[in-house]
Amino acid sequence: MYLQKRGRILRKNAAIRSLVAETLLTPGDFMVPLFIDEGENVATPIPSMPGYCRYSLDLTLKEVKELWNMGIKSILLFVKAKDEVKDNTGQEAWNPDGLMQRSVRAIKDAVPDMVVMTDVALDPYSIYGHDGIVKDGEILNDETVEALVRMSLSHAEAGVDFVAPSDMMDGRIHAIRKAFEENGFTRTGILSYSAKYASCFYGPFRDALDSAPGFGDKKTYQMDPANRREALKEALLDVEEGADMVMVKLAMAYLDIIREVKDAVTVPVSAYHVSGEYAMIKAAAQMGWLDEDKAILESLTSIKRAGTDLIATYFAKRAVELLG
Ligand code: PBG
């Protein structure tokens, strides 16, 4: 058989394949989501996220040191607020001595070069489990933005590198940027969850933080999975409003969105490989139906190949171990 071109030549052995590989994962690609709890020496396993724990601050500090020593450069912080501080205003979210603010200070003190990002949304502090302030069954936009600005300023004050608003309220990036400028936080960045879809795949995360919505769903603020152009609109708007980086959430069922956002903006694009995506791989592996390590690397490679500069993933540590 005569063939002018033989594609298999470039796949002949591992050495050639590595020479022509287009996508390489490195420890610098990852953001590690961390769940922080009150207390001391507390490690609470999350049943729907096997192998993942919520840690008290002392254990979180140990974990952050370990991550840094492995070459991981960024973490994304979430806190589990106690029931007694939850209300419908979110005021605990900007308590200067709140768990998030204490955590940021302690982490920046212990590992100053670690890039620390904080989730900005009211859900862990809301008696309704919603990302905003609720009135007559509605999630108020403008009042919530004011609360998010206070929350962001308190994180900036604590020394965070990037705030990461995950709430999907309109106009919050502009308002946060303006507040940072007016208050002298000219070195604090904004990673906007620009295209965050109303997804069932956040279920395990809501177990981790006990933050599931108490009524209704999040469809009046998070995006409809049916929509593509809306993601571009949201991302372009956030860049215009002052976002330093944008995010597509979630990842594997949304690789088309990642690619299109990447082509549309000139800021770095991140994606969040969320709790449900983690749980699916873990569950299939536990059943013996998937090779977990291979599934991790293939998933993360596909997310990077789609155009992601930075991937938030619960598999970061394992991926770095596997990359050796
Ligand atoms: C809170 C928030 C959520 C996630 C990140 N920030 C949950 C939600 O919007 O209900 C989900 C992360 C994950 O599932 O891993 N605004």
Side-chain angles (χ1 to χ4, degrees):
M1 185 164 152
Y2 170 84
L3 286 179
Q4 189 69 24
K5 301 253 179 202
R6 288 187 183 269
R8 289 183 55 190
I9 287 170
L10 294 181
R11 302 194 288 268
K12 188 168 80 179
N13 59 37
I16 295 177
R17 289 193 296 273
S18 85
L19 289 175
V20 300
E22 296 173 46
T23 308
L24 292 178
L25 292 169
T26 75
D29 291 326
F30 304 124
M31 282 182 276
V32 182
L34 295 175
F35 303 126
I36 310 177
D37 225 337
E38 295 284 2
E40 243 177 80
N41 204 23
V42 184
T44 312
I46 301 155
S48 50
M49 298 180 71
Y52 225 76
C53 282
R54 232 169 37 227
Y55 291 120
S56 51
L57 181 50
D58 53 335
L59 297 186
T60 301
L61 289 175
K62 274 171 91 176
E63 178 74 8
V64 174
K65 285 178 196 157
E66 198 180 319
L67 294 171
W68 182 257
N69 290 335
M70 294 175 79
I72 289 174
K73 305 282 191 285
S74 75
I75 54 177
L76 187 52
L77 305 183
F78 299 90
V79 296
K80 181 173 185 304
K82 285 194 280 196
D83 279 344
E84 51 268 35
V85 301
K86 296 188 184 190
D87 64 14
N88 187 32
T89 67
Q91 58 181 332
E92 177 64 14
W94 54 91
N95 174 357
D97 292 316
L99 181 56
M100 182 65 99
Q101 290 78 359
R102 280 184 276 128
S103 300
V104 171
R105 285 195 294 267
I107 292 169
K108 289 304 286 184
D109 212 37
V111 192
D113 293 331
M114 179 62 94
V115 179
V116 178
M117 313 200 189
T118 47
D119 191 65
V120 168
L122 297 186
D123 50 323
Y125 305 100
S126 161
I127 37 169
Y128 299 113
H130 273 287
D131 289 21
I133 296 166
V134 176
K135 192 175 172 203
D136 302 330
E138 298 277 333
I139 317 306
L140 302 178
N141 192 84
D142 300 10
E143 292 79 351
T144 298
V145 169
E146 278 176 38
L148 298 171
V149 165
R150 296 174 121 180
M151 184 176 186
S152 299
L153 283 171
S154 82
H155 293 183
E157 186 82 59
V160 79
D161 295 289
F162 289 83
V163 291
S166 70
D167 55 286
M168 291 297 282
M169 298 299 129
D170 289 327
R172 89 274 206 221
I173 301 302
H174 171 79
I176 293 169
R177 174 60 75 199
K178 182 163 171 279
F180 280 178
E181 284 296 313
E182 288 171 356
N183 289 278
F185 295 114
T186 52
R187 287 154 53 87
T188 311
I190 305 173
L191 162 59
S192 177
Y193 284 66
S194 297
K196 175 169 177 177
Y197 286 88
S199 172
C200 70
F201 289 97
Y202 308 150
F205 172 98
R206 293 173 185 170
D207 293 343
L209 295 187
D210 185 23
S211 64
F215 69 86
D217 52 39
K218 297 192 175 185
K219 290 181 185 170
T220 68
Y221 42 108
Q222 299 180 348
M223 283 178 47
D224 183 345
N227 293 353
R228 181 178 64 81
R229 292 192 306 156
E230 193 181 1
L232 299 181
K233 181 184 81 177
E234 292 286 353
L236 290 170
L237 195 59
D238 282 352
V239 172
E240 209 176 289
E241 289 186 22
D244 300 286
M245 302 196 265
V246 294
M247 182 190 280
V248 174
K249 182 175 175 186
L250 40 173
M252 284 198 71
Y254 295 76
L255 297 178
D256 57 330
I257 309 295
I258 295 172
R259 169 48 57 190
E260 297 221 35
V261 169
K262 175 72 169 207
D263 290 342
V265 301
T266 54
V267 299
V269 174
S270 60
Y272 200 138
H273 190 229
V274 301
S275 57
E277 300 181 274
Y278 174 88
M280 282 197 295
I281 291 178
K282 281 286 183 184
Q286 280 183 357
M287 294 298 289
W289 293 342
L290 272 185
D291 179 319
E292 179 174 337
D293 288 345
K294 288 181 179 158
I296 292 171
L297 290 182
E298 188 173 333
S299 303
L300 297 176
T301 300
S302 73
I303 296 166
K304 185 166 180 188
R305 190 195 62 227
T308 318
D309 298 288
L310 210 53
I311 306 170
T313 173
Y314 303 97
F315 285 125
K317 221 169 153 178
R318 184 66 190 144
V320 171
E321 282 166 9
L322 293 170
L323 294 170

